[in-house]
Amino acid sequence: MRVLGMISGTSHDGIDAAVVDFDLAGDVLNGRVGHTASTPYPPELRARLVEALPPAPTTLAEVCVLDTLIGQSFAEAAAEAIERAGPVDLIVSHGQTVFHWVDGSHALGTLQIGQPAWIAERTGAPVLSDVRIRDITAGGHGAPLVSVLDSLLLAGHPGSAAALNLGGISNMTVVRGPEELFAYDIGPANALVDAVVSSRRLSERGFDEDGGIAASGRVDERLLDLLLAEPYYLLPAPKSTGKELFHLAYVEDAVARTGHPVSDADLVATLTELTVRTVARDVLAAGVDLLVVSGGGCRNPVLMKGLRAALSGVTVSLSDEYGAPADDKEAIAFALIGWCTAHGLPGTVPAGTGARAPRVLGTLTPGAGPLVLPAPITDRPRSLRLSR
């Protein structure tokens, strides 16, 4: 079964896509990763999206417009992927998260936009969307859903391993043997740095490319101490967070409380070190011997150097070494969720999201023809082998 997975993450800079050809052999699921691509949002659409995100006020009219424009962008990215890779049996569109409703330690709702009907109309393929909410209705956080991929990808590791994703938000899945797993959102990875870089126009690309800005600054210890005192870090797992908490105003308030000015370079260096400290603390507490990293943050030399220095007793690798290109891992994960849903299998690991029980995920929008699903499978694969 060929599945196209698509997502725009918490950095909201564009659409990642991956076509994966899945084949089940016994209890091993083989996935051949074919076409992968990252399609930036048009600058005007990204700016409009940023202006509507929390804590900014918005209107239902603006949400409707963005739902359409983002859906059309996803439709074009899907059509391009199919043109290059050939027909697919199913498209999975995560869409764009615009709000993740968390009250204390409980997730109560989540909203991803990017109307899937535009994708189905443009490509003629059925589309699975709205993949997080079913887990939340079962008491979970709807995140990190990538834990279902991590649990299969790291199943063969003999010790304790963790998969770390450094997107806008950092999340980690810890796997100890075939049965023990837990996962949660650690805190900000690129979200705060991106917010500062974009708002202060420190880079045309809107992020700290190659960690150049952080490398030119010095960590402000007073500011770092204030940021590390965030109550979210003390909440027990499972837990989830997003830009509803970690946004530009959050940074500006912390800087104001330091009582002294902080230069742009020092601010970016401090926010980068915040990610290093929060991630390293949790990785060490988990007692793992292997850390497999993915997401845009793994391309930041300052961030990765800091993590390796703080985790001297842990082997730090990129997910590329496990067949999942670090920039495409989340898109691959949603392709996997689509394969699971199509075969009647849960797309969650309850220990990874905090749900009462596993759930089959998503809402299906038919394509041009009748909606035909494969025969159901009763037993979940025990491992996943990815190849190119």
Side-chain angles (χ1 to χ4, degrees):
M1 182 178 191
R2 300 186 82 222
V3 185
L4 167 60
M6 307 178 72
I7 179 175
S8 178
T10 47
S11 294
H12 52 256
D13 50 2
I15 302 161
D16 294 330
V19 175
V20 186
D21 199 341
F22 290 106
D23 177 57
L24 185 63
D27 60 2
V28 177
L29 182 61
N30 296 296
R32 187 177 64 81
V33 181
H35 173 78
T36 60
S38 183
T39 305
Y41 280 137
E44 61 276 10
L45 174 56
R46 186 174 192 269
R48 191 166 183 172
L49 172 62
V50 170
E51 290 174 0
L53 291 173
T58 191
T59 65
L60 290 175
E62 185 65 4
V63 172
C64 180
V65 170
L66 287 171
D67 188 40
T68 293
L69 295 177
I70 291 171
Q72 291 172 338
S73 291
F74 269 77
E76 288 305 311
E80 175 71 15
I82 291 171
E83 181 178 345
R84 292 180 177 275
V88 297
D89 301 302
L90 177 67
I91 297 173
V92 183
S93 175
H94 170 273
Q96 178 69 64
T97 297
V98 290
F99 195 77
H100 191 65
W101 182 17
V102 179
D103 185 6
S105 61
H106 299 283
L108 302 177
T110 190
L111 180 61
Q112 287 76 44
I113 62 174
Q115 176 52 243
W118 289 103
I119 306 172
E121 185 68 22
R122 179 73 171 82
T123 65
V127 180
L128 183 75
S129 61
D130 210 16
V131 293
R132 293 190 185 273
I133 189 61
R134 186 62 187 276
D135 182 77
I136 290 177
T137 65
H141 278 263
L145 290 186
V146 72
S147 59
V148 70
L149 171 64
D150 295 332
S151 66
L152 295 174
L153 207 57
L154 300 180
H157 182 70
S160 296
L164 172 69
N165 181 63
L166 295 171
I169 299 297
S170 59
N171 60 64
M172 179 171 69
T173 304
V174 178
V175 179
R176 296 192 181 109
E179 302 298 332
E180 187 178 354
L181 174 149
F182 65 91
Y184 61 98
D185 287 346
I186 296 173
N190 303 317
L192 298 183
V193 171
D194 290 352
V196 168
V197 170
S198 295
S199 67
R200 303 189 182 189
R201 294 180 171 84
L202 304 182
S203 167
E204 291 183 1
R205 302 191 67 180
F207 64 94
D208 185 13
E209 188 171 7
D210 296 328
I213 302 172
S216 69
R218 299 180 64 180
V219 173
D220 186 302
E221 295 295 341
R222 165 68 175 155
L223 175 58
L224 181 60
D225 287 343
L226 284 171
L227 293 167
L228 286 170
E230 165 58 48
Y232 174 80
Y233 301 129
L234 299 179
L235 293 175
K239 57 183 177 179
S240 60
T241 189
K243 291 188 175 180
E244 301 74 30
L245 173 60
F246 296 111
H247 47 65
L248 182 63
Y250 178 93
V251 177
E252 292 173 339
D253 176 69
V255 171
R257 285 188 286 133
T258 66
H260 63 263
V262 180
S263 72
D264 291 341
D266 288 356
L267 180 54
V268 173
T270 303
L271 295 173
T272 303
E273 181 64 16
L274 173 67
T275 299
V276 171
R277 296 278 187 94
T278 53
V279 168
R281 180 179 60 189
D282 283 19
V283 171
L284 291 173
V288 301
D289 54 71
L290 171 67
L291 183 68
V292 180
V293 189
S294 62
C298 75
R299 307 304 184 194
N300 182 327
V302 175
L303 178 53
M304 293 302 295
K305 181 180 179 181
L307 284 176
R308 287 191 167 98
L311 301 171
S312 58
V314 179
T315 299
V316 179
S317 304
L318 297 185
S319 63
D320 303 66
E321 298 177 27
Y322 292 79
D327 296 324
D328 306 309
K329 185 184 169 191
E330 283 195 299
I332 294 169
F334 284 100
L336 172 63
I337 287 171
W339 181 88
C340 289
T341 293
H343 290 87
L345 294 173
T348 60
V349 180
T353 65
R356 292 184 296 273
R359 292 289 185 266
V360 178
L361 301 180
T363 301
L364 280 164
T365 300
L371 185 60
V372 180
L373 297 177
I377 294 174
T378 56
D379 295 322
R380 179 175 175 265
R382 295 183 63 85
S383 64
L384 172 65
R385 294 175 184 165
L386 292 175
S387 62
R388 293 305 296 258

